[in-house]
Amino acid sequence: MSTPITKSPEVQSLLDKVAGLNGTIGDPRLKKIIRRIVGDLFATVEEFNITEDEFWGALNFVAQGAPEFGLWVPGLGFEHFLDLLRDEADKKAGLDGGTPRTIEGPLYVNGAPLVKGEARLDVDPEVGDVLFMQGRVLDAAGKPIAGAIVDVWHANTRGNYSHFDPSQSPFNFRRRIETDGEGRYRFRSLVPSGYAVPPKGTTEQLLDAIGRHGKRPAHIHFFVSAPGYRHLTTQINIDGDPYLHDDFAYATRDGLIPPIARHESPADLHAKGLNGPYAEIEFDFTLLKAEKPDEEVLSSRPRVSLG
Ligand code: MBD
Ligand code: FE
C-alpha cells in the first residue's frame, strides 16, 4: 500500500492551518486537540474509502442526533471511559476504598424535594413491587456520616424517568434524603424496570446498524455528598435482571449489585400492610475524604433544573 495522503506534507500542512497552529493567537491546547481530532477523522475517511455520499450522510446523521447525544455518549462508552480515567488517577494517587463510582447518565433533574431520614419516592399511583431500600453513609473508617445527602433517582416500572416522560408527576422517583444522626437513609419506592433508548431514535438507529441493543438493566442512581468528603456519583443494580451484565451504557460494576430480598408470603405482606410482593435492599455508601474543596462538588455538566 502506498503512503496515505493523510500523511503527505500537503495534508499535514493543511491540518496545521486548520487547527490554527500557524498563528500566534488562540488557545494552544485547543489547537492541538482540534489538530488531533480532525487529523484522525481525515485518516478514517481515507482508510475506509469513505465516499462523499457517506460523508454527507454521516454529517447529517450526527446533526440530527444532537438531541440524543446524552444517550450516544454512554452508548459509545464515553461516560464509562471517563470513570476508568478517574479510577486510574485515584489509584495512582493511592486513593483506595469507598463505594465505586459509575456513570451519571443523562436523566438527572436538579432540585428534587429534600427530606430528612426517610422518603417515599413514588408519587403517582402505579402497580408494581414495593421496594424498601435503606442503609448508611459511612467514612472510610466505617464511621457514620450524619447530615449527608443521598440524592436518588430511578425509572418507573416501565423504565421511564419523570420529567423526560411527561406523563409522570414532577420528581416522581426523585428525592434528596438527608442522613440522620446515625448516618442512615431509608426510602420506600417501587422496583424499577430497565431502560431502553427511544424507539426509532438516532441512538437506536446507530446501535442497530452495528448489531447492538440500547437496553439497560434495572438500576437506581445516586449522588452522595457530605461536607469534607468527595462527591460520589454511582448506581446500584437490581440483581437478577437479564441485562445485568449486558448494559448498553457499561455502568454495571462489582460492588454495586447488592442482594435483593423478595417477599411474597402472606405473613410477610401482612407484616408490612401490603397486598402484593415487595423487595428489600440494604446498601451502605462509603465516602472518601476530600483533599481539595473541588472534589466535594459535582461536575459542571449541564443538567435540567426544576422548582
Ligand atoms: C439511563 O437510565 C441511564 O442511566 C443511562 C446512563 C443512559 C440512558 C438511560
Ligand atoms: Fe438511569
Side-chain angles (χ1 to χ4, degrees), residues 70-71 74 79 103-107 153 155 159 161 195 197 216 219 221 235 248-249 251:
L71 295 173
E79 265 198 271
I103 72 172
E104 172 181 337
L107 303 173
W153 73 103
Y161 285 78
Y195 171 92
V197 298
R216 294 214 59 209
H219 59 279
H221 296 265
Q235 307 178 23
F248 101 100

Side-chain angles (χ1 to χ4, degrees), residues 27-176:
D27 180 334
R29 178 165 172 265
L30 183 60
K31 293 180 187 201
K32 286 193 209 158
I33 294 169
I34 297 289
R35 174 73 165 73
R36 165 60 64 89
I37 293 174
V38 178
D40 284 354
L41 287 175
F42 279 19
T44 303
V45 169
E46 184 173 12
E47 179 179 346
F48 294 95
N49 292 312
I50 289 171
T51 65
E52 292 203 20
D53 286 353
E54 285 174 325
F55 178 85
W56 294 112
L59 186 70
N60 186 52
F61 183 73
V62 171
Q64 277 181 10
E68 285 192 20
F69 277 0
L71 295 173
W72 288 35
V73 164
L76 295 176
F78 285 100
E79 265 198 271
H80 182 57
F81 176 65
L82 294 178
D83 281 345
L84 295 177
L85 288 176
R86 292 184 64 197
D87 290 351
E88 186 59 26
D90 285 356
K91 208 171 122 196
K92 282 221 181 82
L95 284 168
D96 217 6
T99 301
R101 63 167 59 86
T102 197
I103 72 172
E104 172 181 337
L107 303 173
Y108 179 74
V109 174
N110 254 316
L114 176 62
V115 292
K116 284 190 195 288
E118 67 181 299
R120 172 97 183 235
L121 269 51
D122 50 319
V123 176
D124 298 328
E126 190 174 336
V127 177
D129 289 2
V130 169
L131 169 66
F132 296 102
M133 180 164 172
Q134 60 171 11
R136 291 169 303 167
V137 178
L138 306 170
D139 70 11
K143 209 169 105 305
I145 305 175
I149 303 295
V150 176
D151 192 339
V152 52
W153 73 103
H154 69 76
N156 69 2
T157 62
R158 295 167 169 201
N160 297 324
Y161 285 78
S162 63
H163 179 77
F164 303 94
D165 167 13
S167 79
Q168 297 180 45
S169 292
F171 297 116
N172 198 26
F173 300 113
R174 300 177 188 275
R175 286 295 181 277
R176 287 178 295 157

